[in-house]
Amino acid sequence: MEDQFVKIASLIGDPTRAVIMWTLLDGKAFTATELAIGANTSPQNISMHLAKLLDAGLLCVEKQGRHKYYRFSNKETAYAIEAMASLIPPAAPQKKTSEKHSSIKHCRTCYDHLAGKIGVAVAESLLEQKIILDLDNKFEVSHEGTKWFSDFGINLDEIKKQRRLFLKPCLDWSERKNHIAGSLGASLLNKMIADDWLRRTKDSRAIQITGKGEKELLKHFKIVV
């Protein structure tokens, strides 16, 4: 176990491979060329790094036509990379004129679920309303929560059938608190986007909150945007 951990840590710790993993947190699949541009390295060098990540089982590759697309091999890898970012020391206090959160810290995606200040606020609201329960840092949906999600338009029985974790806390690197991950977290984000509460931003993990979203977040989660 120790040797395996050292191997994984050394793989992720390389600067180029760290950029690759951070880029893939966007939730999309990328070609080797796109990843090379993002990491500011050559196609030959990126191929070597991708081969190592594939060999370790951290990434997988899909071929479509002439192109190969790389993504995380599983969602747990993405959650681990996001959680590692919480080790970054907090930024020094800023002057009042620059205290406002950047868009990426305010509301963003963490692979396939909602993160940032708004993502954490949603999790805290669900806990406060006892829709979900925190049992020794493990999240569970309460009996009342089952009805709440049904009324909200999310079928828990259906998403439990997915071959992945249903619900788990995910440490938010910018807020240093938990947001909601797993298939339930992904369903919440998808529902909010489908209902036009939230809108994705091109070429960014930042999420825009619409006027409708501001009203609905206040109504359902008591969140003032």
Side-chain angles (χ1 to χ4, degrees):
M1 180 65 72
E2 181 180 340
D3 291 342
Q4 291 176 347
F5 178 79
V6 170
K7 180 182 178 181
I8 294 295
S10 63
L11 278 169
I12 298 173
D14 177 89
T16 298
R17 292 192 287 271
V19 172
I20 291 172
M21 304 292 271
W22 187 255
T23 301
L24 291 173
L25 274 178
D26 189 45
K28 299 184 294 187
F30 289 83
T31 65
T33 300
E34 291 170 328
L35 292 170
I37 293 171
N40 193 28
T41 190
S42 67
Q44 294 79 12
N45 193 42
I46 206 75
S47 294
M48 179 269 291
H49 288 294
L50 288 171
K52 289 186 176 183
L53 292 171
L54 287 168
D55 184 61
L58 297 177
L59 301 186
C60 62
V61 61
E62 300 172 3
K63 188 173 183 180
Q64 291 187 11
R66 297 184 294 107
H67 299 288
K68 291 182 179 180
Y69 292 88
Y70 297 84
R71 65 170 73 246
F72 287 120
S73 58
N74 57 66
K75 300 179 188 301
E76 284 65 41
T77 302
Y79 301 160
I81 298 301
E82 173 82 8
M84 285 178 64
S86 66
L87 297 175
I88 299 172
Q94 302 293 314
K95 295 180 180 180
K96 289 187 176 181
T97 54
S98 58
E99 281 182 347
K100 188 175 181 179
H101 286 287
S102 69
S103 57
I104 200 75
K105 291 183 177 180
H106 184 67
C107 190
R108 68 176 181 275
T109 56
C110 171
Y111 197 56
D112 62 354
H113 54 271
L114 191 63
K117 182 178 180 180
I118 298 300
V120 168
V122 167
E124 291 181 338
S125 174
L126 292 176
L127 287 166
E128 186 176 339
Q129 296 181 67
K130 300 192 184 306
I131 293 168
I132 62 173
L133 306 174
D134 187 347
L135 305 176
D136 294 326
N137 206 35
K138 293 182 179 179
F139 285 173
E140 289 186 8
V141 177
S142 67
H143 177 72
E144 294 79 6
T146 300
K147 182 180 185 305
W148 187 93
F149 281 108
S150 177
D151 294 341
F152 191 69
I154 293 179
N155 188 322
L156 297 185
D157 291 332
E158 284 300 314
I159 62 175
K160 283 179 180 178
K161 295 177 183 178
Q162 298 178 19
R163 299 180 62 182
R164 58 176 295 191
L165 289 171
F166 168 63
L167 172 62
K168 63 166 290 183
C170 182
L171 186 60
D172 193 283
W173 65 263
S174 57
E175 293 296 306
R176 312 299 170 111
K177 298 178 182 178
N178 289 323
H179 55 247
I180 296 172
S183 57
L184 182 54
S187 296
L188 272 169
L189 174 61
N190 292 337
K191 172 71 174 172
M192 292 178 184
I193 290 175
D195 289 351
D196 197 35
W197 296 17
L198 307 175
R199 293 176 186 169
R200 297 184 184 275
T201 303
K202 185 178 180 181
D203 299 325
S204 173
R205 292 168 60 198
I207 291 286
Q208 293 182 333
I209 303 173
T210 66
K212 177 182 179 182
E214 291 183 6
K215 295 177 182 177
E216 297 296 337
L217 286 170
L218 178 60
K219 175 182 176 182
H220 294 278
F221 302 99
K222 300 178 179 62
I223 297 173
V224 178
V225 179

